[in-house]
Amino acid sequence: MRAPSGIESVRECRQCCAFCDRLVYPAGCVEAQCPFLYFYDDEASGRRYMGCLHKVFRGEIDVELFEQAQRTRQGFGGMRLAAHPLPLCRTGVERAYYGSGPAFECVNPDFWQEPDPLPGDGAFDLRDGLDR
Ligand code: SF4
Ligand code: SF4
């Protein structure tokens, strides 16, 4: 099987039958007041949307639906990674399948660690600038 590279190696692991994906949690973007989180109001629909300027997750989220989901026990949950996360992104690994036996034994424990930041990502982290 071809070894994953680039964003694929950060986004997913298919080395056993658990099929793990790394997700980014937009609730973390809101709580961190990330400078890359944008909001806009769609005049046609009257809806408000939010998205990631850095495109760590793609697409835009309906803010009202997000807030409704956040009030539930499960919360809004995670979005598929579309780009390498920045140090301030809240990410986590979720496995798709559970089972017993060697086919479900993790052979890639490093995948559960936070991914290393890309060179230069510190310069992209504007939190320091916001504090000044
Ligand atoms: S850069 Fe990360 S924390 Fe900021 S909006 Fe994008 S996903 Fe969220
Ligand atoms: S359990 Fe480990 S080896 Fe299996 S898919 Fe997940 S990270 Fe990869």
Side-chain angles (χ1 to χ4, degrees), residues 47-65:
R47 311 292 298 181
R48 176 162 243 227
Y49 294 92
M50 65 181 184
C52 171
L53 281 175
H54 198 66
K55 298 298 178 201
V56 175
F57 63 85
R58 280 196 202 284
E60 285 161 341
I61 300 166
D62 184 308
V63 173
E64 189 179 335
L65 297 182

Side-chain angles (χ1 to χ4, degrees), residues 26-112:
C29 315
V30 174
E31 285 170 30
Q33 299 184 323
C34 176
F36 297 110
L37 184 67
Y38 67 86
F39 293 85
Y40 84 92
D41 296 313
D42 180 49
E43 285 185 14
S45 64
R47 311 292 298 181
R48 176 162 243 227
Y49 294 92
M50 65 181 184
C52 171
L53 281 175
H54 198 66
K55 298 298 178 201
V56 175
F57 63 85
R58 280 196 202 284
E60 285 161 341
I61 300 166
D62 184 308
V63 173
E64 189 179 335
L65 297 182
F66 169 80
E67 288 172 347
Q68 280 175 10
Q70 281 296 95
R71 288 194 285 273
T72 66
R73 197 159 61 88
Q74 202 172 2
F76 181 80
M79 302 274 285
R80 184 172 165 79
L81 276 186
H84 197 100
L86 300 184
L88 78 170
C89 304
R90 182 186 297 169
T91 63
V93 174
E94 294 186 7
R95 52 188 292 165
Y97 303 110
Y98 288 85
S100 57
F104 288 91
E105 281 173 15
C106 185
V107 294
N108 184 17
D110 285 352
F111 188 74
W112 291 81

